[in-house]
Amino acid sequence: MQGTVSLPDPSTVRFPGPWTHRDIHANGIRLHAVEAGPSGPDAPLALFLHGFADLWWSWRHQLTAFADAGYRAVAVDLRGYGDSDKPPRGYDGWTLSGDVAGLIRALGCSEATLVGHADGGLVCWATAVLHPRLVRAIALVDSPHPISLRDATLHDRAQRAALLPTFLAYQVPWRPERKLVRDDGWEIERLLRARAGTRWQQSDEFREVAERMRSAIRIPGTAHCTLEYQRWAFRSQWRPDGRRFMAAMDKTLTLPVLQLHGTLDPYVVPATVRRCVRHAPGRKLLMIDDAGHYAHQERADDVTAALLDFAAGL
């Protein structure tokens, strides 16, 4: 008789460190948030949002650095990830931005600087447009504006070849979920290696990151929720809700915008982010040398310095 496979408990992502784990109710769900730094009303809030198949811990370097600089730094497991709730619905741009808006209010703040990687960056863009009074500024890591990314995928052969194969493969039911969790989450490490720069892959930190991401994706329900982000982004293009969302996003932002992008990113090609100016003409773009799709981890010191400099200038 075969033994039962033991799956990670959601609480396994509550890694110890110089931070506090909190459960915060916002927008009708419970979000696992990790907080460091002062929590008084005078401390500016910096809110960090992770990307695809990831978790709050990807911001560990920035979380502690911002706390040391006097910011109230909060990293969150997005809806469906880590130790946050995993409801069957709500993986659309409207709801995800509502999660962030609700989280800012639940933290007792009137505004926040949002920092997001990949899918988390897309949530930053959406929140800045749909809840502008709550957003002081946004900083994006390897994350162009959703309309820019869509247009690049349609018209740029290199971007289309980089993004579409996995994006389309995720649209079928159940098979992608099984692939993400098979062999103790090996597919997550494969994607990590395919999209990261070579230097980081040779480090001890990379092995730890891969191990923790592989465990987190195997938390029951997480693989499905992860893919629902991708599925809504694709399927909504032909539905009224998606057309309304893209129409709402087609606005020019006047708030401060910083875009950081790895020069070696093979998934969101550098040309795509260089062209990403129509919706944020005043944006500042900084290319991060020798970094792939995970610039905030691959070149943590450089990215953290750029983010702190940006925040200090607000």
Side-chain angles (χ1 to χ4, degrees):
M1 183 175 179
Q2 292 183 343
T4 302
V5 176
S6 178
L7 297 176
D9 186 85
S11 64
T12 56
V13 302
R14 293 183 176 243
F15 308 122
W19 42 62
T20 301
H21 294 272
R22 299 183 60 189
D23 293 301
I24 299 177
H25 291 269
N27 203 26
I29 65 169
R30 179 190 58 82
L31 294 170
H32 168 228
V34 182
E35 183 171 345
S39 58
D42 296 330
L45 175 63
L47 186 56
F48 297 87
L49 311 177
H50 65 78
F52 173 80
D54 215 331
L55 67 161
W56 71 269
W57 188 72
S58 69
W59 295 109
R60 61 200 173 279
H61 300 294
Q62 292 76 31
L63 193 66
T64 53
F66 268 72
D68 290 343
Y71 292 87
R72 185 182 184 186
V74 177
V76 63
D77 283 331
L78 294 174
R79 169 186 293 251
Y81 282 95
D83 201 12
S84 289
D85 280 349
K86 299 168 181 62
R89 299 178 184 83
Y91 301 95
D92 58 277
W94 305 100
T95 305
L96 294 167
S97 65
D99 289 351
V100 175
L103 180 59
I104 294 170
R105 295 190 185 99
L107 288 167
C109 298
S110 60
E111 64 175 10
T113 296
L114 305 182
V115 184
H117 169 240
D119 285 1
L122 297 178
V123 179
C124 290
W125 287 109
T127 309
V129 170
L130 301 176
H131 303 275
R133 293 183 180 179
L134 293 173
V135 182
R136 188 180 188 189
I138 59 174
L140 305 313
V141 179
D142 304 302
S143 185
H145 189 281
I147 294 178
S148 294
L149 183 59
R150 180 199 64 187
D151 292 348
T153 304
L154 291 174
H155 303 297
D156 184 312
R157 182 179 300 176
Q159 183 59 76
R160 185 162 57 250
L163 185 143
L164 273 189
T166 53
F167 189 62
L168 293 177
Y170 290 157
Q171 303 309 313
V172 300
W174 302 121
R175 185 183 301 169
E177 281 89 340
R178 296 191 190 103
K179 187 174 184 179
L180 289 183
V181 302
R182 188 184 302 142
D183 298 327
D184 293 330
W186 165 250
E187 175 65 8
I188 298 302
E189 182 168 344
R190 189 194 69 79
L191 290 172
L192 194 63
R193 291 184 180 278
R195 296 172 183 176
T198 303
R199 188 176 75 167
W200 188 50
Q201 292 186 46
Q202 298 170 345
S203 69
D204 291 336
E205 182 186 66
F206 179 87
R207 287 186 285 273
E208 183 181 17
V209 169
E211 178 183 343
R212 293 194 174 190
M213 288 179 67
R214 288 176 65 169
S215 177
I217 199 66
R218 296 174 59 245
I219 293 170
T222 301
H224 176 69
C225 296
T226 294
L227 293 163
E228 287 297 282
Y229 284 74
Q230 308 281 310
R231 288 166 176 159
W232 181 82
F234 178 73
R235 298 172 188 178
S236 68
Q237 300 299 313
W238 291 273
R239 299 198 305 248
D241 62 323
R243 290 195 292 270
R244 286 197 302 271
F245 177 74
M246 282 301 194
M249 292 301 298
D250 197 8
K251 289 185 175 64
T252 300
L253 290 175
T254 57
L255 82 174
V257 175
L258 172 67
Q259 288 187 275
L260 304 171
H261 201 81
T263 57
L264 304 179
D265 190 342
Y267 187 63
V268 178
V269 299
T272 295
V273 76
R274 288 193 179 101
R275 290 192 297 262
C276 184
V277 294
R278 181 159 67 93
H279 297 96
R283 66 92 187 255
K284 177 182 179 181
L285 173 63
L286 181 60
M287 304 301 292
I288 306 299
D289 291 333
D290 200 26
H293 188 59
Y294 305 89
H296 59 307
Q297 299 190 79
E298 298 179 54
R299 298 293 299 271
D301 290 345
D302 292 342
V303 168
T304 300
L307 289 172
L308 284 171
D309 184 63
F310 174 68
L314 296 176

